[in-house]
Amino acid sequence: MDITRITPELFSAFLAVVEAGTFTRAARTLGTGQSTVSQQIKRLETITGRRLLARDTHRVALTVDGEVLVDHARRILESYAALDRQLSGVPLRGRLRFGASEDFVLSALPDVLANFARRHPEVDMVVTARLSQDLYDAYDAGQLDIILAKRRAGDPRGVTAWGEQAVWIARPDYLHDADAPVPLLLYPPPSVTRAMAIATLDASRRAWRVAFTSASLSGLTAAARAGLGVLPHSLRLLPIGLARVAADNTLPDLPHMEFVIIGPGGGTPVSDALTKAILQWASVG
């Protein structure tokens, strides 16, 4: 295998397909035709001698060899982009439409954006806060350039920013009556954490009721501070004034959850820079 035949364009096409999930959306992201993207992927598979993508009529998925190549492709393209910026001396410019789940927006995002703005003052960023499912829909519709969201079940796209076990949170002095249905504070559907919490309680045969519903985290945290119930949430992004409910036999453990960054793939300097900033925050947070 002659790896010198692998050009940055082939890696860009590969990552674009991985991030977009289909050849059609990848072609739209790259500003080229679907046939061109297909030819680039075929050429990359020929050079590597590996099948990198498993295709069906609706989506594509990474093979084992494809998963190995993803990280290498990203690092190589990041190196190309960094070298280009260093040699050209041109600061990053452009407009970036960034969507993030509200729990990240109201906790960590100000620090991430402040650091990003200091490094790249000429980037114009438009930030949208929505439920994770709505972020996926907006990204797939071409309304957002990059999103940070909870991983959607069955969707392999994205770079994992971090993973953790979800927890129940409430006001610090909250005490739950083990004989009463669990009072839940939930986002409306579609919500990843809502579905996760209900499925967990149903699986453990634990009675529950929806005590409060709000489309905003500020509404849910206000209800939690008022002692109306418990909220399934990320411990890392714990809102001020709330605490993890002590582990006992009244509430089942919630499953592991992942926050992922989904963007246009390597070779897009502005999106790559924001992805790097989030990953740096996640690595030290």
Side-chain angles (χ1 to χ4, degrees), residues 167-171 174-177 180-189 191-216 219-225 227-233 242 245 250-255:
V167 297
W168 302 103
I169 64 173
R171 61 185 292 165
Y174 177 82
L175 293 175
H176 177 62
D177 182 355
V182 179
L184 297 177
L185 314 177
L186 300 173
Y187 287 113
S191 162
V192 173
T193 49
R194 177 191 180 99
M196 174 182 64
I198 291 175
T200 299
L201 291 169
D202 286 345
S204 65
R205 298 183 178 181
R206 187 73 176 83
W208 55 271
R209 64 183 177 87
V210 178
F212 187 86
T213 301
S214 175
S216 72
L220 292 175
T221 54
R225 293 188 190 107
L228 299 186
V230 296
L231 171 66
H233 202 268
L242 299 180
V245 177
T250 63
L251 290 173
D253 289 335
L254 289 166

Tab-separated table of all heavy atoms in Angstrom, residues 167-171 174-177 180-189 191-216 219-225 227-233 242 245 250-255:
chain	number	residue	atom	x	y	z
A	167	VAL	N	-27.174	11.178	36.059
A	167	VAL	CA	-27.541	11.087	37.477
A	167	VAL	C	-28.876	11.794	37.704
A	167	VAL	O	-29.348	12.573	36.875
A	167	VAL	CB	-26.464	11.733	38.383
A	167	VAL	CG1	-25.145	10.983	38.262
A	167	VAL	CG2	-26.274	13.213	38.038
A	168	TRP	N	-29.479	11.485	38.841
A	168	TRP	CA	-30.667	12.219	39.296
A	168	TRP	C	-30.193	13.407	40.118
A	168	TRP	O	-29.333	13.261	40.983
A	168	TRP	CB	-31.546	11.319	40.172
A	168	TRP	CG	-32.027	10.057	39.524
A	168	TRP	CD1	-31.547	8.802	39.721
A	168	TRP	CD2	-33.090	9.936	38.572
A	168	TRP	NE1	-32.239	7.890	38.957
A	168	TRP	CE2	-33.192	8.559	38.241
A	168	TRP	CE3	-33.957	10.841	37.957
A	168	TRP	CZ2	-34.130	8.072	37.331
A	168	TRP	CZ3	-34.889	10.358	37.058
A	168	TRP	CH2	-34.977	8.998	36.746
A	169	ILE	N	-30.734	14.589	39.848
A	169	ILE	CA	-30.369	15.759	40.637
A	169	ILE	C	-31.630	16.428	41.183
A	169	ILE	O	-32.736	16.263	40.635
A	169	ILE	CB	-29.536	16.773	39.814
A	169	ILE	CG1	-30.361	17.338	38.645
A	169	ILE	CG2	-28.257	16.131	39.309
A	169	ILE	CD1	-29.654	18.467	37.910
A	170	ALA	N	-31.444	17.174	42.257
A	170	ALA	CA	-32.558	17.857	42.912
A	170	ALA	C	-31.976	18.905	43.853
A	170	ALA	O	-30.757	19.102	43.904
A	170	ALA	CB	-33.429	16.860	43.686
A	171	ARG	N	-32.834	19.569	44.619
A	171	ARG	CA	-32.310	20.507	45.615
A	171	ARG	C	-31.538	19.710	46.675
A	171	ARG	O	-31.845	18.534	46.938
A	171	ARG	CB	-33.433	21.320	46.242
A	171	ARG	CG	-34.484	20.522	46.969
A	171	ARG	CD	-35.629	21.392	47.459
A	171	ARG	NE	-35.186	22.298	48.511
A	171	ARG	CZ	-35.884	23.354	48.932
A	171	ARG	NH1	-37.046	23.646	48.353
A	171	ARG	NH2	-35.431	24.113	49.903
A	174	TYR	N	-33.363	17.561	49.233
A	174	TYR	CA	-34.500	16.784	48.720
A	174	TYR	C	-34.487	15.365	49.281
A	174	TYR	O	-33.461	14.689	49.304
A	174	TYR	CB	-34.443	16.721	47.192
A	174	TYR	CG	-35.545	15.867	46.587
A	174	TYR	CD1	-36.813	16.386	46.381
A	174	TYR	CD2	-35.303	14.539	46.241
A	174	TYR	CE1	-37.821	15.611	45.835
A	174	TYR	CE2	-36.309	13.752	45.698
A	174	TYR	CZ	-37.561	14.291	45.496
A	174	TYR	OH	-38.562	13.520	44.954
A	175	LEU	N	-35.654	14.912	49.768
A	175	LEU	CA	-35.825	13.550	50.254
A	175	LEU	C	-36.993	12.925	49.513
A	175	LEU	O	-38.087	13.512	49.442
A	175	LEU	CB	-36.098	13.533	51.764
A	175	LEU	CG	-34.938	13.993	52.668
A	175	LEU	CD1	-35.394	14.034	54.121
A	175	LEU	CD2	-33.743	13.056	52.509
A	176	HIS	N	-36.753	11.747	48.950
A	176	HIS	CA	-37.803	11.100	48.174
A	176	HIS	C	-38.524	10.053	49.000
A	176	HIS	O	-37.905	9.270	49.725
A	176	HIS	CB	-37.215	10.443	46.921
A	176	HIS	CG	-38.239	9.708	46.123
A	176	HIS	ND1	-39.322	10.339	45.554
A	176	HIS	CD2	-38.360	8.386	45.832
A	176	HIS	CE1	-40.058	9.436	44.935
A	176	HIS	NE2	-39.509	8.251	45.087
A	177	ASP	N	-39.850	10.042	48.880
A	177	ASP	CA	-40.687	9.041	49.533
A	177	ASP	C	-40.627	7.763	48.707
A	177	ASP	O	-41.100	7.717	47.568
A	177	ASP	CB	-42.116	9.560	49.633
A	177	ASP	CG	-43.044	8.580	50.346
A	177	ASP	OD1	-42.586	7.463	50.669
A	177	ASP	OD2	-44.219	8.921	50.560
A	180	ALA	N	-43.882	6.476	47.120
A	180	ALA	CA	-44.630	7.318	46.179
A	180	ALA	C	-44.004	7.244	44.790
A	180	ALA	O	-42.814	6.964	44.647
A	180	ALA	CB	-44.634	8.765	46.677
A	181	PRO	N	-44.797	7.478	43.754
A	181	PRO	CA	-44.220	7.532	42.403
A	181	PRO	C	-43.143	8.614	42.315
A	181	PRO	O	-43.253	9.668	42.951
A	181	PRO	CB	-45.429	7.879	41.520
A	181	PRO	CG	-46.612	7.434	42.303
A	181	PRO	CD	-46.263	7.656	43.746
A	182	VAL	N	-42.115	8.362	41.545
A	182	VAL	CA	-41.021	9.315	41.404
A	182	VAL	C	-41.526	10.551	40.647
A	182	VAL	O	-42.004	10.443	39.516
A	182	VAL	CB	-39.845	8.696	40.627
A	182	VAL	CG1	-38.723	9.719	40.466
A	182	VAL	CG2	-39.343	7.448	41.323
A	183	PRO	N	-41.434	11.742	41.265
A	183	PRO	CA	-41.871	12.969	40.578
A	183	PRO	C	-40.772	13.453	39.622
A	183	PRO	O	-39.695	13.851	40.060
A	183	PRO	CB	-42.098	13.957	41.719
A	183	PRO	CG	-41.162	13.506	42.795
A	183	PRO	CD	-41.011	12.014	42.650
A	184	LEU	N	-41.037	13.407	38.345
A	184	LEU	CA	-40.022	13.718	37.343
A	184	LEU	C	-40.156	15.141	36.818
A	184	LEU	O	-41.264	15.630	36.561
A	184	LEU	CB	-40.141	12.746	36.160
A	184	LEU	CG	-39.901	11.264	36.473
A	184	LEU	CD1	-40.136	10.437	35.213
A	184	LEU	CD2	-38.497	11.051	37.008
A	185	LEU	N	-39.021	15.778	36.645
A	185	LEU	CA	-38.931	17.084	36.007
A	185	LEU	C	-38.275	16.848	34.654
A	185	LEU	O	-37.100	16.480	34.601
A	185	LEU	CB	-38.097	18.048	36.860
A	185	LEU	CG	-38.415	18.060	38.366
A	185	LEU	CD1	-37.460	19.005	39.084
A	185	LEU	CD2	-39.867	18.462	38.606
A	186	LEU	N	-39.009	17.051	33.570
A	186	LEU	CA	-38.546	16.588	32.265
A	186	LEU	C	-38.731	17.621	31.169
A	186	LEU	O	-39.652	18.450	31.214
A	186	LEU	CB	-39.309	15.317	31.854
A	186	LEU	CG	-39.198	14.102	32.759
A	186	LEU	CD1	-40.147	13.018	32.280
A	186	LEU	CD2	-37.773	13.582	32.804
A	187	TYR	N	-37.834	17.538	30.178
A	187	TYR	CA	-38.070	18.232	28.920
A	187	TYR	C	-39.242	17.554	28.214
A	187	TYR	O	-39.503	16.363	28.429
A	187	TYR	CB	-36.842	18.138	28.017
A	187	TYR	CG	-35.660	18.976	28.429
A	187	TYR	CD1	-34.478	18.379	28.867
A	187	TYR	CD2	-35.710	20.366	28.348
A	187	TYR	CE1	-33.375	19.141	29.225
A	187	TYR	CE2	-34.611	21.132	28.712
A	187	TYR	CZ	-33.451	20.521	29.143
A	187	TYR	OH	-32.368	21.278	29.500
A	188	PRO	N	-39.932	18.267	27.328
A	188	PRO	CA	-40.972	17.609	26.529
A	188	PRO	C	-40.331	16.714	25.480
A	188	PRO	O	-39.154	16.869	25.145
A	188	PRO	CB	-41.696	18.794	25.867
A	188	PRO	CG	-40.662	19.867	25.790
A	188	PRO	CD	-39.824	19.713	27.026
A	189	PRO	N	-41.060	15.749	24.950
A	189	PRO	CA	-40.504	14.938	23.867
A	189	PRO	C	-40.377	15.781	22.593
A	189	PRO	O	-41.168	16.717	22.399
A	189	PRO	CB	-41.552	13.823	23.687
A	189	PRO	CG	-42.814	14.368	24.281
A	189	PRO	CD	-42.410	15.343	25.353
A	191	SER	N	-36.863	14.173	23.753
A	191	SER	CA	-35.747	14.517	24.625
A	191	SER	C	-34.989	13.243	24.948
A	191	SER	O	-35.595	12.239	25.354
A	191	SER	CB	-36.250	15.171	25.914
A	191	SER	OG	-35.276	15.132	26.925
A	192	VAL	N	-33.682	13.270	24.778
A	192	VAL	CA	-32.855	12.097	25.040
A	192	VAL	C	-32.924	11.708	26.519
A	192	VAL	O	-33.117	10.542	26.866
A	192	VAL	CB	-31.398	12.349	24.614
A	192	VAL	CG1	-30.497	11.199	25.043
A	192	VAL	CG2	-31.308	12.563	23.109
A	193	THR	N	-32.771	12.701	27.410
A	193	THR	CA	-32.779	12.384	28.840
A	193	THR	C	-34.171	11.974	29.317
A	193	THR	O	-34.304	11.150	30.215
A	193	THR	CB	-32.280	13.585	29.664
A	193	THR	OG1	-32.972	14.762	29.255
A	193	THR	CG2	-30.785	13.787	29.480
A	194	ARG	N	-35.213	12.553	28.735
A	194	ARG	CA	-36.581	12.166	29.106
A	194	ARG	C	-36.797	10.684	28.795
A	194	ARG	O	-37.246	9.912	29.651
A	194	ARG	CB	-37.587	13.024	28.345
A	194	ARG	CG	-39.056	12.648	28.622
A	194	ARG	CD	-40.005	13.335	27.664
A	194	ARG	NE	-41.385	12.968	27.934
A	194	ARG	CZ	-42.241	13.705	28.620
A	194	ARG	NH1	-41.867	14.869	29.106
A	194	ARG	NH2	-43.476	13.285	28.828
A	195	ALA	N	-36.490	10.298	27.553
A	195	ALA	CA	-36.674	8.907	27.143
A	195	ALA	C	-35.825	7.969	27.990
A	195	ALA	O	-36.278	6.887	28.394
A	195	ALA	CB	-36.329	8.755	25.664
A	196	MET	N	-34.588	8.386	28.296
A	196	MET	CA	-33.688	7.571	29.095
A	196	MET	C	-34.235	7.360	30.508
A	196	MET	O	-34.228	6.249	31.041
A	196	MET	CB	-32.318	8.246	29.161
A	196	MET	CG	-31.307	7.594	30.062
A	196	MET	SD	-29.751	8.534	30.104
A	196	MET	CE	-30.326	10.066	30.857
A	197	ALA	N	-34.730	8.432	31.132
A	197	ALA	CA	-35.228	8.342	32.505
A	197	ALA	C	-36.468	7.451	32.589
A	197	ALA	O	-36.566	6.586	33.474
A	197	ALA	CB	-35.547	9.744	33.027
A	198	ILE	N	-37.398	7.657	31.674
A	198	ILE	CA	-38.634	6.865	31.697
A	198	ILE	C	-38.334	5.393	31.435
A	198	ILE	O	-38.878	4.501	32.103
A	198	ILE	CB	-39.638	7.425	30.682
A	198	ILE	CG1	-40.144	8.801	31.159
A	198	ILE	CG2	-40.806	6.474	30.481
A	198	ILE	CD1	-41.056	9.502	30.172
A	199	ALA	N	-37.456	5.113	30.463
A	199	ALA	CA	-37.109	3.721	30.162
A	199	ALA	C	-36.437	3.048	31.356
A	199	ALA	O	-36.691	1.868	31.647
A	199	ALA	CB	-36.198	3.668	28.935
A	200	THR	N	-35.592	3.791	32.067
A	200	THR	CA	-34.896	3.241	33.234
A	200	THR	C	-35.876	2.902	34.351
A	200	THR	O	-35.795	1.832	34.965
A	200	THR	CB	-33.841	4.235	33.748
A	200	THR	OG1	-32.870	4.484	32.715
A	200	THR	CG2	-33.139	3.709	34.983
A	201	LEU	N	-36.804	3.808	34.619
A	201	LEU	CA	-37.784	3.560	35.678
A	201	LEU	C	-38.730	2.418	35.305
A	201	LEU	O	-39.065	1.580	36.145
A	201	LEU	CB	-38.577	4.841	35.944
A	201	LEU	CG	-37.786	5.970	36.606
A	201	LEU	CD1	-38.570	7.276	36.571
A	201	LEU	CD2	-37.427	5.603	38.045
A	202	ASP	N	-39.142	2.373	34.038
A	202	ASP	CA	-40.019	1.285	33.600
A	202	ASP	C	-39.311	-0.061	33.705
A	202	ASP	O	-39.911	-1.062	34.115
A	202	ASP	CB	-40.475	1.521	32.155
A	202	ASP	CG	-41.521	2.627	32.038
A	202	ASP	OD1	-42.092	3.008	33.077
A	202	ASP	OD2	-41.750	3.108	30.913
A	203	ALA	N	-38.020	-0.091	33.330
A	203	ALA	CA	-37.269	-1.340	33.384
A	203	ALA	C	-37.116	-1.850	34.818
A	203	ALA	O	-37.053	-3.065	35.058
A	203	ALA	CB	-35.895	-1.156	32.751
A	204	SER	N	-37.054	-0.921	35.769
A	204	SER	CA	-36.921	-1.309	37.179
A	204	SER	C	-38.275	-1.447	37.868
A	204	SER	O	-38.342	-1.646	39.079
A	204	SER	CB	-36.066	-0.277	37.919
A	204	SER	OG	-36.730	0.976	37.957
A	205	ARG	N	-39.353	-1.278	37.074
A	205	ARG	CA	-40.723	-1.380	37.583
A	205	ARG	C	-40.977	-0.386	38.728
A	205	ARG	O	-41.642	-0.695	39.715
A	205	ARG	CB	-41.027	-2.805	38.036
A	205	ARG	CG	-40.939	-3.813	36.900
A	205	ARG	CD	-41.323	-5.210	37.355
A	205	ARG	NE	-41.270	-6.154	36.248
A	205	ARG	CZ	-41.566	-7.451	36.343
A	205	ARG	NH1	-41.941	-7.951	37.521
A	205	ARG	NH2	-41.483	-8.235	35.288
A	206	ARG	N	-40.449	0.791	38.535
A	206	ARG	CA	-40.603	1.859	39.538
A	206	ARG	C	-41.679	2.817	39.057
A	206	ARG	O	-41.634	3.311	37.927
A	206	ARG	CB	-39.262	2.590	39.697
A	206	ARG	CG	-39.247	3.600	40.818
A	206	ARG	CD	-39.213	2.887	42.178
A	206	ARG	NE	-39.116	3.837	43.267
A	206	ARG	CZ	-40.166	4.488	43.794
A	206	ARG	NH1	-41.381	4.281	43.335
A	206	ARG	NH2	-39.988	5.324	44.788
A	207	ALA	N	-42.662	3.072	39.881
A	207	ALA	CA	-43.746	3.994	39.523
A	207	ALA	C	-43.211	5.423	39.401
A	207	ALA	O	-42.326	5.821	40.158
A	207	ALA	CB	-44.850	3.933	40.556
A	208	TRP	N	-43.761	6.178	38.465
A	208	TRP	CA	-43.322	7.556	38.265
A	208	TRP	C	-44.482	8.406	37.794
A	208	TRP	O	-45.512	7.903	37.342
A	208	TRP	CB	-42.170	7.614	37.254
A	208	TRP	CG	-42.479	6.974	35.920
A	208	TRP	CD1	-42.282	5.667	35.575
A	208	TRP	CD2	-43.067	7.614	34.776
A	208	TRP	NE1	-42.689	5.437	34.291
A	208	TRP	CE2	-43.167	6.613	33.766
A	208	TRP	CE3	-43.508	8.907	34.497
A	208	TRP	CZ2	-43.715	6.888	32.502
A	208	TRP	CZ3	-44.038	9.177	33.237
A	208	TRP	CH2	-44.139	8.185	32.262
A	209	ARG	N	-44.296	9.700	37.900
A	209	ARG	CA	-45.245	10.661	37.360
A	209	ARG	C	-44.475	11.885	36.879
A	209	ARG	O	-43.398	12.188	37.390
A	209	ARG	CB	-46.273	11.087	38.417
A	209	ARG	CG	-45.690	11.837	39.605
A	209	ARG	CD	-46.746	12.175	40.650
A	209	ARG	NE	-46.168	12.838	41.808
A	209	ARG	CZ	-45.979	14.161	41.893
A	209	ARG	NH1	-46.347	14.960	40.884
A	209	ARG	NH2	-45.448	14.700	42.972
A	210	VAL	N	-45.014	12.557	35.881
A	210	VAL	CA	-44.393	13.788	35.403
A	210	VAL	C	-44.912	14.935	36.259
A	210	VAL	O	-46.089	15.305	36.192
A	210	VAL	CB	-44.712	14.038	33.914
A	210	VAL	CG1	-44.101	15.360	33.460
A	210	VAL	CG2	-44.162	12.898	33.058
A	211	ALA	N	-44.035	15.472	37.099
A	211	ALA	CA	-44.434	16.550	38.006
A	211	ALA	C	-44.294	17.921	37.363
A	211	ALA	O	-44.976	18.874	37.769
A	211	ALA	CB	-43.584	16.490	39.280
A	212	PHE	N	-43.415	18.044	36.367
A	212	PHE	CA	-43.177	19.353	35.750
A	212	PHE	C	-42.511	19.127	34.400
A	212	PHE	O	-41.619	18.289	34.260
A	212	PHE	CB	-42.267	20.205	36.648
A	212	PHE	CG	-42.087	21.621	36.189
A	212	PHE	CD1	-42.994	22.610	36.540
A	212	PHE	CD2	-41.004	21.975	35.393
A	212	PHE	CE1	-42.824	23.931	36.130
A	212	PHE	CE2	-40.822	23.281	34.974
A	212	PHE	CZ	-41.740	24.261	35.340
A	213	THR	N	-42.969	19.885	33.402
A	213	THR	CA	-42.382	19.823	32.065
A	213	THR	C	-42.040	21.232	31.605
A	213	THR	O	-42.831	22.157	31.770
A	213	THR	CB	-43.358	19.193	31.057
A	213	THR	OG1	-43.695	17.876	31.485
A	213	THR	CG2	-42.729	19.126	29.668
A	214	SER	N	-40.848	21.374	31.036
A	214	SER	CA	-40.434	22.667	30.500
A	214	SER	C	-39.478	22.439	29.347
A	214	SER	O	-38.668	21.515	29.369
A	214	SER	CB	-39.764	23.525	31.572
A	214	SER	OG	-39.269	24.739	31.013
A	215	ALA	N	-39.570	23.281	28.342
A	215	ALA	CA	-38.657	23.200	27.202
A	215	ALA	C	-37.334	23.893	27.486
A	215	ALA	O	-36.423	23.841	26.660
A	215	ALA	CB	-39.306	23.808	25.965
A	216	SER	N	-37.209	24.536	28.645
A	216	SER	CA	-35.975	25.242	28.981
A	216	SER	C	-35.365	24.679	30.253
A	216	SER	O	-36.080	24.277	31.186
A	216	SER	CB	-36.241	26.740	29.178
A	216	SER	OG	-36.937	26.979	30.380
A	219	GLY	N	-36.307	26.598	33.424
A	219	GLY	CA	-37.582	26.211	34.027
A	219	GLY	C	-37.458	24.949	34.848
A	219	GLY	O	-38.003	24.852	35.956
A	220	LEU	N	-36.724	23.975	34.340
A	220	LEU	CA	-36.551	22.714	35.063
A	220	LEU	C	-35.747	22.909	36.342
A	220	LEU	O	-36.068	22.330	37.388
A	220	LEU	CB	-35.862	21.688	34.161
A	220	LEU	CG	-36.666	21.184	32.961
A	220	LEU	CD1	-35.815	20.268	32.098
A	220	LEU	CD2	-37.935	20.469	33.410
A	221	THR	N	-34.689	23.709	36.272
A	221	THR	CA	-33.874	23.929	37.473
A	221	THR	C	-34.658	24.722	38.522
A	221	THR	O	-34.489	24.490	39.726
A	221	THR	CB	-32.567	24.657	37.127
A	221	THR	OG1	-32.862	25.867	36.409
A	221	THR	CG2	-31.680	23.786	36.255
A	222	ALA	N	-35.515	25.640	38.079
A	222	ALA	CA	-36.347	26.375	39.040
A	222	ALA	C	-37.286	25.417	39.762
A	222	ALA	O	-37.483	25.518	40.979
A	222	ALA	CB	-37.132	27.467	38.319
A	223	ALA	N	-37.864	24.485	39.006
A	223	ALA	CA	-38.752	23.495	39.619
A	223	ALA	C	-37.981	22.597	40.582
A	223	ALA	O	-38.481	22.233	41.651
A	223	ALA	CB	-39.421	22.662	38.529
A	224	ALA	N	-36.746	22.232	40.207
A	224	ALA	CA	-35.928	21.395	41.087
A	224	ALA	C	-35.565	22.141	42.363
A	224	ALA	O	-35.610	21.577	43.463
A	224	ALA	CB	-34.667	20.944	40.351
A	225	ARG	N	-35.212	23.427	42.240
A	225	ARG	CA	-34.863	24.215	43.432
A	225	ARG	C	-36.068	24.397	44.353
A	225	ARG	O	-35.913	24.567	45.563
A	225	ARG	CB	-34.309	25.573	43.020
A	225	ARG	CG	-32.964	25.495	42.311
A	225	ARG	CD	-32.373	26.880	42.094
A	225	ARG	NE	-31.205	26.817	41.215
A	225	ARG	CZ	-31.193	27.229	39.953
A	225	ARG	NH1	-32.285	27.775	39.417
A	225	ARG	NH2	-30.102	27.123	39.218
A	227	GLY	N	-38.121	22.085	44.900
A	227	GLY	CA	-38.388	20.798	45.539
A	227	GLY	C	-39.513	20.015	44.917
A	227	GLY	O	-40.088	19.125	45.559
A	228	LEU	N	-39.834	20.290	43.637
A	228	LEU	CA	-40.962	19.620	42.996
A	228	LEU	C	-40.642	18.200	42.538
A	228	LEU	O	-41.559	17.440	42.234
A	228	LEU	CB	-41.450	20.440	41.789
A	228	LEU	CG	-41.963	21.854	42.085
A	228	LEU	CD1	-42.535	22.466	40.815
A	228	LEU	CD2	-43.009	21.839	43.196
A	229	GLY	N	-39.362	17.854	42.451
A	229	GLY	CA	-39.036	16.513	42.008
A	229	GLY	C	-37.578	16.369	41.639
A	229	GLY	O	-36.733	17.174	42.061
A	230	VAL	N	-37.288	15.338	40.847
A	230	VAL	CA	-35.915	15.026	40.453
A	230	VAL	C	-35.774	15.172	38.945
A	230	VAL	O	-36.710	14.981	38.182
A	230	VAL	CB	-35.504	13.603	40.892
A	230	VAL	CG1	-35.508	13.493	42.403
A	230	VAL	CG2	-36.414	12.552	40.263
A	231	LEU	N	-34.562	15.480	38.548
A	231	LEU	CA	-34.257	15.775	37.151
A	231	LEU	C	-33.106	14.890	36.684
A	231	LEU	O	-32.051	14.879	37.313
A	231	LEU	CB	-33.867	17.261	37.029
A	231	LEU	CG	-33.304	17.785	35.710
A	231	LEU	CD1	-34.347	17.720	34.611
A	231	LEU	CD2	-32.828	19.230	35.900
A	232	PRO	N	-33.270	14.113	35.590
A	232	PRO	CA	-32.130	13.366	35.037
A	232	PRO	C	-31.204	14.337	34.312
A	232	PRO	O	-31.641	15.137	33.495
A	232	PRO	CB	-32.802	12.394	34.059
A	232	PRO	CG	-34.059	13.082	33.632
A	232	PRO	CD	-34.515	13.888	34.821
A	233	HIS	N	-29.909	14.255	34.605
A	233	HIS	CA	-29.032	15.297	34.083
A	233	HIS	C	-27.579	14.829	34.087
A	233	HIS	O	-27.224	13.816	34.692
A	233	HIS	CB	-29.159	16.553	34.962
A	233	HIS	CG	-28.748	17.820	34.300
A	233	HIS	ND1	-27.469	18.328	34.365
A	233	HIS	CD2	-29.450	18.693	33.551
A	233	HIS	CE1	-27.412	19.461	33.693
A	233	HIS	NE2	-28.594	19.708	33.181
A	242	LEU	N	-28.167	22.970	42.722
A	242	LEU	CA	-28.708	21.613	42.745
A	242	LEU	C	-27.594	20.626	43.086
A	242	LEU	O	-26.408	20.950	43.008
A	242	LEU	CB	-29.334	21.262	41.393
A	242	LEU	CG	-30.502	22.144	40.943
A	242	LEU	CD1	-31.030	21.691	39.593
A	242	LEU	CD2	-31.615	22.141	41.988
A	245	VAL	N	-28.736	13.417	43.769
A	245	VAL	CA	-29.525	12.713	44.772
A	245	VAL	C	-28.713	11.522	45.256
A	245	VAL	O	-28.177	10.751	44.454
A	245	VAL	CB	-30.872	12.244	44.187
A	245	VAL	CG1	-31.656	11.450	45.224
A	245	VAL	CG2	-31.681	13.439	43.705
A	250	THR	N	-34.220	3.740	46.284
A	250	THR	CA	-35.474	4.320	45.808
A	250	THR	C	-35.410	4.751	44.347
A	250	THR	O	-36.428	4.841	43.685
A	250	THR	CB	-35.869	5.538	46.665
A	250	THR	OG1	-34.869	6.564	46.516
A	250	THR	CG2	-36.001	5.140	48.126
A	251	LEU	N	-34.210	5.014	43.845
A	251	LEU	CA	-34.053	5.454	42.466
A	251	LEU	C	-33.031	4.571	41.755
A	251	LEU	O	-31.920	4.396	42.252
A	251	LEU	CB	-33.586	6.918	42.410
A	251	LEU	CG	-34.589	7.977	42.843
A	251	LEU	CD1	-33.921	9.346	42.888
A	251	LEU	CD2	-35.775	8.006	41.888
A	252	PRO	N	-33.377	4.021	40.608
A	252	PRO	CA	-32.418	3.175	39.881
A	252	PRO	C	-31.314	4.016	39.249
A	252	PRO	O	-31.502	5.198	38.954
A	252	PRO	CB	-33.288	2.514	38.805
A	252	PRO	CG	-34.393	3.497	38.567
A	252	PRO	CD	-34.670	4.127	39.910
A	253	ASP	N	-30.161	3.410	39.036
A	253	ASP	CA	-29.058	4.095	38.373
A	253	ASP	C	-29.416	4.369	36.917
A	253	ASP	O	-29.977	3.508	36.226
A	253	ASP	CB	-27.785	3.247	38.428
A	253	ASP	CG	-27.201	3.171	39.826
A	253	ASP	OD1	-27.467	4.096	40.617
A	253	ASP	OD2	-26.491	2.190	40.106
A	254	LEU	N	-29.080	5.543	36.473
A	254	LEU	CA	-29.294	5.902	35.075
A	254	LEU	C	-28.123	5.410	34.223
A	254	LEU	O	-27.016	5.226	34.731
A	254	LEU	CB	-29.429	7.424	34.944
A	254	LEU	CG	-30.720	8.015	35.495
A	254	LEU	CD1	-30.611	9.533	35.626
A	254	LEU	CD2	-31.910	7.651	34.609
A	255	PRO	N	-28.329	5.197	32.934
A	255	PRO	CA	-27.260	4.657	32.081
A	255	PRO	C	-26.218	5.696	31.700
A	255	PRO	O	-26.342	6.887	31.994
A	255	PRO	CB	-28.024	4.165	30.841
A	255	PRO	CG	-29.241	5.022	30.785
A	255	PRO	CD	-29.608	5.295	32.214
